[in-house]
Amino acid sequence: MVEALTIVLAMGVTRGWRAALTGAVAATFALAAIIAALGPALVVIPIEVLRLVVGALLLVFGLQWLRKAILRASGWRALRDEDSVFARETAAAATAAHEERAGLDWYGFTVSFKAAVVLVIAAGVIVRGPLSRVPENTLAFAVGVMLTTFGTFWGAEGAGVDWPGGDASLPGVLAFVALVSLGFVTTLRRRRVALA
């Protein structure tokens, strides 16, 4: 959400709010249409298959986020600088070919369409503060832990695993993933200090 908000804000500031907000709203309607069209089809897919596929996808994305967050928290990778991302997006928008069609900036519309969700824009309007104040790595770490937890849980259920206590075992899986991840941060910090 933070990354999408950065892109929409950059488009709004440099290319104009009309195209940026139109792209964001169009993206929201496109997502709603896809959900409305494909949502009913989910009832024909066996729940085990759905859990396995969704669990695997969540696990893949969660582990990617968690890996980056662990490397950033341990000092092996630089922290993400939202101010520089905003500056880079702003520069790219300013140097892009400025072609107007029917009074709408299609570059700003397209970039915002790909990056936006109504909640992201609402959060940006409400917060109005610089994105550098958002603890991006802490947020990425938490999201990575949660995605990995749900991905592990649903993927295992889809593969036929019966969790002790059913859904009540989720906090245990969450605690395990969080502790292992924090253990990696600590180990990598120590290793980095030892190498320095």
Side-chain angles (χ1 to χ4, degrees):
M1 287 178 60
V2 172
E3 292 173 25
L5 177 58
T6 301
I7 293 169
V8 172
L9 288 176
M11 291 301 105
V13 168
T14 59
R15 309 288 295 203
W17 289 104
R18 179 178 173 212
L21 294 176
T22 303
V25 169
T28 302
F29 282 119
L31 180 60
I34 290 169
I35 291 170
L38 299 179
L42 292 178
V43 297
V44 299
I45 300 172
I47 191 69
E48 292 80 19
V49 173
L50 189 60
R51 285 179 180 153
L52 185 61
V53 170
V54 170
L57 289 172
L58 288 176
L59 193 55
V60 167
F61 288 118
L63 289 173
Q64 288 175 353
W65 277 58
L66 200 49
R67 179 184 161 273
K68 289 177 186 175
I70 288 170
L71 290 174
R72 287 180 180 138
S74 64
W76 284 92
R77 189 172 185 171
L79 290 174
R80 184 176 166 86
D81 183 4
E82 288 299 327
D83 288 334
S84 68
V85 174
F86 181 79
R88 190 169 53 247
E89 290 292 335
T90 301
T95 58
H98 188 54
E99 184 177 318
E100 297 280 336
R101 293 183 190 157
L104 183 65
D105 176 6
W106 288 100
Y107 177 79
F109 173 88
T110 303
V111 172
S112 295
F113 182 90
K114 293 190 301 185
V117 175
V118 170
L119 293 175
V120 173
I121 295 168
V125 170
I126 292 168
V127 174
R128 296 185 193 186
L131 293 174
S132 60
R133 286 193 260 173
V134 176
E136 193 269 338
N137 197 57
T138 303
L139 184 64
F141 192 89
V143 169
V145 166
M146 289 173 29
L147 288 175
T148 302
T149 298
F150 282 108
T152 301
F153 185 82
W154 285 337
E157 271 193 341
V161 171
D162 288 324
W163 291 96
D167 291 347
S169 64
L170 263 172
V173 177
L174 177 69
F176 175 77
V177 171
L179 288 174
V180 169
S181 300
L182 291 171
F184 278 129
V185 170
T186 302
T187 301
L188 289 172
R189 275 187 188 158
R190 288 182 184 155
R191 186 173 178 200
R192 187 165 182 266
V193 169
L195 289 175

